[in-house]
Amino acid sequence: MESSLEFSSSLGSVSSLISRCRTFKVLVIGDSGVGKTCLTHRLCAGEFPRRSEATIGVDFRERALEVDGEKIKLQLWDTAGQERFRKSMVQHYYRNAHAVLFVYDVTCPASFNGLTSWVEECRQNSLGHEIPKFLIGNKSDLRDVGRTDCHVSQELAMNFAKAHGMVFFETSAKNLPKKRLNGRRGEGEELCQRSKVEDIVSAVGTMLKKHKTLMANSPAYSGSFKVHRKKQEKEPWTCC
Ligand SMILES: Nc1nc2c(ncn2[C@@H]2O[C@H](COP(=O)(O)OP(=O)(O)OP(=O)(O)O)[C@@H](O)[C@H]2O)c(=O)[nH]1
């Protein structure tokens, strides 16, 4: 793999001191192709990216928000789903993480089954039981009512979330096609989808702000990785 890693960390970067804004490290994990990069982009930039490439190592995006009058920052760590692009850096991902988003593709049961190994990886890397965890079923725009057998049911996902102490959301990182947006129904769906994405941001922010143990034990992380990466264009993803 042609990538190298530089790591720097400090408890108070200049920018965080100026803005006095607490920064929370939020890990985004899940199988390759489930849409972690697109979802992270949507959560932070408010739109679906035009191009998607396989993540090598990790990418970062930030989202500022206000919770109960306090400005906080979510630093989303969009990690590679492919084992060969992540293995040397795994322990860095988990260090000082404040929350985790477990992502699967609702149209790909294999990605849902794969969640067990992501939970296990968290355990092996001593991720605290107490930190907020979220289960996100992505690509809900591809749900086909005629092919429910091939999709992950919400009931199954909710049970999984309950068993692992996670908050469950089903959403789509993708904007709806333009022709559907022309009609009233499309606009409504898009607004609904946008609010679901915002619901995820608010839920993560609210849980982190309220999480007293986290505040006491792990000060807001402010540091950076620089991953020198060779990007690889991604084919449109297909599963079942
Ligand atoms: N229809 C639809 N396609 C999506 C959605 N999210 C992502 N995709 C597509 O799924 C493919 C994979 O998306 P990525 O965001 O690169 O997936 P990833 O999980 O980051 O993959 P790795 O970087 O390999 O771990 C791309 O072709 C995206 O365009 C979604 O909500 N709906």
Side-chain angles (χ1 to χ4, degrees), residues 39 73 79 150 155 178 204:
L39 187 64
K73 220 183 267 178
T79 65
C150 183
E155 193 189 356
K178 276 211 165 58
V204 175

Side-chain angles (χ1 to χ4, degrees), residues 7-50:
F7 176 63
S8 66
S9 160
S10 67
L11 287 180
S13 70
V14 175
S15 62
S16 65
L17 278 177
I18 291 170
S19 60
R20 294 197 181 280
C21 182
R22 286 193 293 171
T23 302
F24 296 95
K25 174 178 173 180
V26 180
L27 264 192
V28 185
I29 57 178
D31 283 3
S32 179
V34 297
K36 298 180 295 300
T37 299
C38 296
L39 187 64
T40 308
H41 202 276
R42 181 86 198 251
L43 292 171
C44 295
E47 59 186 19
F48 191 75
R50 282 203 199 122

Side-chain angles (χ1 to χ4, degrees), residues 160-188:
F160 183 90
K162 207 171 164 191
H164 292 88
M166 299 171 182
V167 179
F168 171 60
F169 286 95
E170 187 172 293
T171 191
S172 163
K174 189 165 190 158
N175 294 320
L176 288 165
K178 276 211 165 58
K179 58 178 181 187
R180 286 178 74 187
L181 288 177
N182 290 337
R184 261 189 157 180
R185 183 163 166 261
E187 276 166 20

Side-chain angles (χ1 to χ4, degrees), residues 102-122:
F102 293 85
V103 186
Y104 68 95
D105 173 348
V106 299
T107 69
C108 180
S111 71
F112 181 77
N113 296 335
L115 290 168
T116 315
S117 49
W118 294 105
V119 170
E120 176 58 18
E121 188 178 276
C122 288

